[in-house]
Amino acid sequence: MNYQWYPGHMTKAKRMMQEDIKLIDLVIELVDARIPLSSRNPDIDELGKNKARLILLNKSDLADPKYNRLWSEYFKEKGFHVLEINSKNGTGVKAIQGVVQEACKEKIERDRKRGIINRPVRAMVVGIPNVGKSTFINTFAGKACTKTGNKPGVTKGKQWIRLNKGIELLDTPGILWPKFEDQAVGMKLAFIGSMNDEVLHIDELSLDLIHFLQEKYDGVLKKRYEVEPVGNTSDILREICVARHCYLKGEEPDLQRAAAIVVEDFRSGRLGRITLEFPE
């Protein structure tokens, strides 16, 4: 399967961000903790150069704790400030205010020397579709400031949100890059739901996921579905069909339905805390 998805509004979003970046002190980038590199848009580093940077490992509750720690160390070594968060339940979010002040202390000190006191830090919130930006902003603000949805592309325009005297946020639409150089990146993005499922073949996606789990998280499929994950991925999917009673008329296995179950069980965390890529 070829993984590509780049709705037209994303080109407009990128132009908008290029115009707004001069107003910004800090770029807050949300990444999915399960795929911290593949869920980063490489354009963001170019857009945000010379700005303070904060990376939030969002959905860290769905990722392997061991790799959350390793990824935090990886990004810190690259010069980023980093926090693990869960924007849905607010875990880690309270710590952000202090990290923002730390990340922007040079800017705050420059303002103080110029006699500018209490000008809020202006932060741009960026990230790919469905990484949880709007949920994060609403949790951080303690109120519903933005539209949210469990699908990519909910945020179409920009909006400024004044959180308190110390920080203003600029929300931006999620943007992917026009073409993935590495199809493995596209596959991981499809796994976590950052592409529209309507343009994907869920049966093929589930086979790729099953293959990964066999290699890196042996025992997960057996524990969840009470199957023996032996043979090729198609055989295992058929076993899951039987275990989950997924049949069409005439007792024909409903592979499409079983595939959707496997993918959704991964995305929701029902398969356990799983990280899909690992720091070098």
Side-chain angles (χ1 to χ4, degrees):
M1 179 165 51
N2 186 42
Y3 296 96
Q4 291 297 333
W5 183 58
Y6 194 72
H9 78 268
M10 291 189 185
T11 302
K12 181 181 177 183
K14 184 179 174 183
R15 284 199 304 267
M16 193 190 309
M17 290 168 71
Q18 288 169 327
E19 293 168 6
D20 292 332
I21 196 70
K22 59 182 177 289
L23 307 172
I24 296 300
D25 306 307
L26 169 71
V27 176
I28 299 176
E29 181 181 2
L30 271 77
V31 301
D32 191 301
R34 295 166 292 181
I35 53 168
L37 282 188
S38 294
S39 60
R40 294 194 70 217
N41 184 332
D43 291 341
I44 300 300
D45 281 339
E46 180 61 27
L47 284 167
K49 65 183 179 183
N50 304 321
K51 302 292 181 181
R53 301 291 301 276
L54 169 58
I55 286 184
L56 300 178
L57 294 168
N58 194 30
K59 305 184 184 181
S60 60
D61 57 308
L62 298 176
D64 191 323
K66 173 176 69 176
Y67 290 111
N68 285 344
R69 291 191 296 273
L70 291 175
W71 278 116
S72 293
E73 292 169 10
Y74 171 90
F75 286 119
K76 285 174 182 175
E77 287 175 4
K78 301 284 184 185
F80 297 94
H81 291 79
V82 189
L83 281 174
E84 298 174 28
I85 69 164
N86 174 353
S87 59
K88 275 193 173 179
N89 68 12
T91 301
V93 172
K94 285 185 178 179
I96 293 173
Q97 186 78 44
V99 176
V100 167
Q101 297 300 308
E102 174 65 23
C104 296
K105 64 182 179 181
E106 291 181 9
K107 172 261 173 196
I108 294 167
E109 182 61 22
R110 282 198 306 272
D111 282 354
R112 190 187 64 78
K113 288 180 178 178
R114 293 172 184 165
I116 303 170
I117 300 172
N118 294 331
R119 184 175 84 78
V121 169
R122 288 177 173 167
M124 178 184 283
V125 182
V126 300
I128 65 167
N130 207 30
V131 79
K133 293 189 311 302
S134 296
T135 301
F136 157 68
I137 289 171
N138 292 341
T139 301
F140 194 23
K143 58 186 177 182
C145 304
T146 70
K147 290 182 181 178
T148 62
N150 189 26
K151 61 179 181 178
V154 171
T155 305
K156 293 292 198 299
K158 66 178 180 181
Q159 54 180 330
W160 282 100
I161 299 146
R162 182 74 177 263
L163 294 187
N164 50 50
K165 291 180 180 180
I167 186 168
E168 288 181 348
L169 296 183
L170 177 60
D171 187 22
T172 59
I175 58 171
L176 289 172
W177 45 110
K179 186 176 182 180
F180 306 125
E181 298 298 326
D182 183 353
Q183 280 293 295
V185 170
M187 181 176 69
K188 292 170 193 170
L189 290 166
F191 283 161
I192 68 167
S194 282
M195 292 187 193
N196 190 331
D197 282 343
E198 292 173 7
V199 304
L200 301 172
H201 299 291
I202 292 296
D203 53 345
E204 293 181 34
L205 185 65
S206 74
L207 295 178
D208 287 335
L209 180 58
I210 288 168
H211 177 72
F212 171 85
L213 293 171
Q214 275 185 292
E215 284 197 335
K216 303 297 184 184
Y217 285 89
D218 186 38
V220 162
L221 294 172
K222 182 176 182 178
K223 181 179 178 182
R224 176 67 182 168
Y225 303 113
E226 298 180 345
V227 298
E228 288 296 336
V230 293
N232 62 39
T233 52
S234 296
D235 291 337
I236 295 169
L237 186 60
R238 284 181 175 275
E239 281 196 55
I240 294 171
C241 269
V242 174
R244 283 292 185 264
H245 307 289
C246 298
Y247 295 109
L248 299 167
K249 287 184 179 178
E251 296 296 297
E252 179 70 21
D254 189 344
L255 295 175
Q256 195 75 13
R257 185 174 154 209
I261 288 172
V262 173
V263 172
E264 182 52 35
D265 280 352
F266 163 72
R267 290 177 179 172
S268 66
R270 286 190 287 269
L271 288 180
R273 297 181 67 170
I274 293 168
T275 294
L276 297 175
E277 62 187 13
F278 318 105
E280 297 174 0

